[in-house]
Amino acid sequence: MVFIFYLILNLFAGFFFFKFQKKHIHPLEIFMLWLVSTILFQNYSALLYMNLRLLNIPDVLSLQLTHFMNRTILIPLMALIFFNQYILIKSFVLRLVWILSFVLLLTGMEKLADFFGVLNHMHMSFWWVGGFWFIFILLLIVTMKFFRNSLIKKVGRA
């Protein structure tokens, strides 16, 4: 049941981004942001699961597949939705509000995964999760700016 819920959520996010949003980011940026966000979240969950034992992924195949689907599809899609609107915002204050709202959304999504048993947080303050998502977004912003500047130099536009 949890797998079906997240499958529908992943399909909805993918359909929303690829069908209904006007793309303001270059296809190469989409590919790069997808890969970087997948790697960042993979390293986060691997570090907390394998090394620090602060996360527990149950030994239930459907929950493991759900976690795999979320870290390879849902999180990158959320990053793409974030950046597709982020680059349109010119005001520093509005950008900060957009960043904080997405940090809250991603923190809420992880809390939902904890509630459904996809990721069980063990001996971990939940504000650490919000801190990770804030750092996650900031690292993606820096990566996007660097990649966008490189893309403009090579291609002539972003």
Side-chain angles (χ1 to χ4, degrees):
M1 187 68 175
V2 172
F3 179 78
I4 299 297
F5 169 75
Y6 276 102
L7 178 65
I8 291 169
L9 186 62
N10 278 273
L11 290 173
F12 175 75
F15 193 65
F16 175 76
F17 178 73
F18 289 109
K19 184 70 175 168
F20 290 115
Q21 278 199 324
K22 183 179 181 201
K23 306 303 174 291
H24 302 289
I25 49 181
H26 193 274
L28 288 175
E29 287 179 301
I30 291 173
F31 182 68
M32 183 271 311
L33 287 170
W34 191 291
L35 292 178
V36 170
S37 60
T38 302
I39 289 169
L40 285 175
F41 187 65
Q42 171 63 30
N43 288 338
Y44 163 73
S45 61
L47 176 70
L48 293 181
Y49 174 69
M50 291 187 290
N51 295 358
L52 300 176
R53 304 275 185 222
L54 294 175
L55 280 181
N56 181 28
I57 302 168
D59 288 332
V60 177
L61 182 61
S62 65
L63 295 177
Q64 291 174 343
L65 289 174
T66 301
H67 178 63
F68 174 75
M69 182 173 52
N70 287 347
R71 74 177 188 243
T72 57
I73 298 171
L74 186 61
I75 299 304
L77 276 173
M78 296 305 292
L80 292 176
I81 291 168
F82 169 81
F83 279 109
N84 201 37
Q85 298 304 315
Y86 176 81
I87 62 171
L88 295 177
I89 301 170
K90 302 299 181 202
S91 166
F92 175 77
V93 174
L94 289 177
R95 279 189 172 190
L96 188 60
V97 168
W98 185 245
I99 290 169
L100 292 177
S101 65
F102 245 78
V103 166
L104 288 175
L105 176 68
L106 292 170
T107 303
M109 287 175 48
E110 191 160 336
K111 184 69 172 170
L112 187 66
D114 186 56
F115 176 76
F116 284 138
V118 176
L119 288 174
N120 298 318
H121 293 84
M122 316 287 282
H123 314 293
M124 184 173 160
S125 297
F126 216 75
W127 69 269
W128 293 358
V129 175
F132 164 76
W133 289 117
F134 185 72
I135 292 169
F136 173 84
I137 292 290
L138 291 180
L139 285 173
L140 283 180
I141 289 170
V142 168
T143 304
M144 184 202 66
K145 286 187 184 284
F146 175 76
F147 187 80
R148 187 165 263 242
N149 288 338
S150 299
L151 189 64
I152 288 170
K153 286 179 187 173
K154 301 287 184 193
V155 179
R157 65 178 178 86

